[in-house]
């Protein structure tokens, strides 16, 4: 019994796992868990992941959740994975671990809070919250500044000046892609001051083509739906 | 030039690194960065860690921040470290990674928020915030329940049913120790329903004796200072 990946492609960390597997020719079965339909709260899925979150994997009889733990496990377990994703060299690996750890309370918290409270909440049965969105946006912006200043110094193609992407690049850029569902002008205002961030996102997209585009397909569909709903409410003057 | 650990012992992740090094006979120089005096914001320290946070390490010319990344690096780099801290076996290691990742947005966010906004803030010249503290408390309580249900099932001495502690045990228990600075009756009310948590904390303390007690000394001093301040305020009524 091969690798099963339980995912919702609307979930940023789910997308990172799927793209990683496809890029590295890891055979897997994608099992869709639709968050908007509450499928993560079924007793069946709770047996897979008691935290009731995606992504989660089963490899043989081994179950695992938390996307960074999954990425590390896949990188170390499958011989087809190229070294640049999660290098064997201890100091290179530690630097990537550092970014992955920092991510939780910084970029992820900021971006998720902002996107959820300004755009996505209604799709999940919650209401928007402008104040929470604003706090998220502050943390998002300061996180983007830090990424720029520390990890993308001097025309880096990828984080840490690496010539090829690591699991940190993939995880963080998938997070940033969630901004696609926010109002387009708002999104532009957030990213406009950050040329290095935009270049870096393009580099990751290109390096993981065509899987990146294909896996993000659902996000563009949701974006279109939300935009049309916003236009109906307040048509552009 | 050996290992330098930049730490403030009132910081939970700082204590984790120090105890880990002492338990594993890793030679290091502890450099105190006093957060209450703003020493993390000096230009000198910014060169060590541009994120201006503790802990951080310098090993030779290699700099690293984020306590979990540091723990993984030390466990893999120093031959004196016993395997149970961060096992070589990939699935055992992945399970520990999973807990370390989960920690950021769950126990750490909950307990950290509750303790800071409910008790610690005045030590840094900031006001308490009961509403924010209450939100933190909710998250902390639900995190404690999850730890008990998933990782301390049955008669587990340590997380995942392990018979010896891992870096996940050390990191999470050091986080919980911060509760010592909260009002004693409050702290008892929080931990009273969680026998498994209390037993687990005792197991970790015993397994890392005497270093655990010694390294937490400053916390008990801080607890006494905050308690006396609380008593002064309420006797003014």
């Amino acid at each position: 019994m091969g690798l099963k990946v339980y995912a919702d492609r609307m979930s940023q960390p789910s997308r990172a796992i799927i793209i990683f597997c496809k890029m590295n020719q890891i055979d897997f079965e994608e099992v869709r868990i639709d968050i908007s339909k509450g499928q993560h709260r079924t007793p069946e899925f709770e047996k897979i992941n008691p935290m009731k979150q995606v992504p989660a994997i089963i490899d043989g009889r081994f179950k695992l959740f938390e996307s960074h733990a999954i990425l590390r496990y896949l990188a170390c377990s499958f011989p087809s994975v190229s070294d640049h994703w999660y290098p064997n060299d201890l100091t290179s690996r530690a630097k990537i671990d550092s970014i992955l750890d920092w991510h939780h309370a910084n970029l992820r918290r900021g971006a998720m809070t902002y996107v959820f409270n300004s755009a996505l909440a209604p799709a999940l049965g919650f209401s928007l919250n402008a104040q929470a969105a604003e706090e998220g946006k502050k943390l998002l912006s300061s996180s983007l500044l830090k990424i720029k200043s520390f990890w993308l110094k001097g025309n880096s193609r990828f984080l840490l000046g690496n010539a090829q992407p690591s699991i940190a690049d993939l995880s963080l850029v998938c997070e940033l892609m969630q901004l696609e569902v926010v109002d387009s002008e708002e999104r532009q205002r957030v990213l406009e001051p950050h040329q290095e961030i935009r270049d870096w996102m393009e580099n990751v997209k290109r390096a993981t083509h065509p899987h990146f585009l294909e896996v993000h397909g659902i996000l563009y569909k949701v974006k279109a739906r939300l935009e049309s709903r916003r236009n109906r409410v307040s048509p552009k003057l």
Side-chain angles (χ1 to χ4, degrees), chain A residues 63-131:
Chain A
K63 298 178 198 167
L64 190 65
F65 58 87
E66 281 295 333
S67 68
H68 294 171
I70 294 171
L71 286 167
R72 289 180 178 106
Y73 170 76
L74 295 176
C76 296
S77 307
F78 286 82
S80 57
V81 178
S82 311
D83 186 68
H84 62 82
W85 288 107
Y86 194 52
N88 270 318
D89 171 68
L90 279 183
T91 58
S92 308
R93 178 172 284 204
K95 293 275 185 187
I96 288 165
D97 281 337
S98 186
I99 298 175
L100 290 169
D101 288 341
W102 170 91
H103 179 51
H104 294 275
N106 292 278
L107 183 67
R108 176 147 175 83
R109 187 183 305 173
M112 211 164 64
T113 304
Y114 170 58
V115 173
F116 183 80
N117 287 292
S118 66
L120 269 187
L124 296 165
F126 293 91
S127 30
L128 299 177
N129 182 330
Q131 197 191 359

Side-chain angles (χ1 to χ4, degrees), chain A residues 104-203:
Chain A
H104 294 275
N106 292 278
L107 183 67
R108 176 147 175 83
R109 187 183 305 173
M112 211 164 64
T113 304
Y114 170 58
V115 173
F116 183 80
N117 287 292
S118 66
L120 269 187
L124 296 165
F126 293 91
S127 30
L128 299 177
N129 182 330
Q131 197 191 359
E134 196 54 36
E135 283 172 20
K137 192 165 154 197
K138 268 205 240 166
L139 181 53
L140 166 61
S141 298
S142 83
S143 300
L144 291 179
L145 270 172
K146 286 174 179 167
I147 293 171
K148 236 173 36 172
S149 331
F150 313 142
W151 292 311
L152 289 175
K153 272 195 301 249
N155 287 333
S156 288
R157 289 197 63 214
F158 299 102
L159 297 170
L160 299 163
N162 290 340
Q164 288 180 289
S166 69
I167 53 178
D169 294 278
L170 190 55
S171 174
L172 273 62
V173 169
C174 281
E175 186 66 50
L176 277 174
M177 284 303 290
Q178 208 74 346
L179 288 174
E180 288 289 340
V181 305
V182 163
D183 170 82
S184 302
E185 281 171 27
E186 258 297 294
R187 177 183 178 274
Q188 257 193 28
R189 269 196 294 269
V190 170
L191 291 179
E192 169 58 36
H194 305 294
Q195 181 70 55
E196 292 93 329
I197 298 285
R198 288 182 277 124
D199 290 347
W200 165 55
M201 290 176 75
E202 282 308 306
N203 290 338

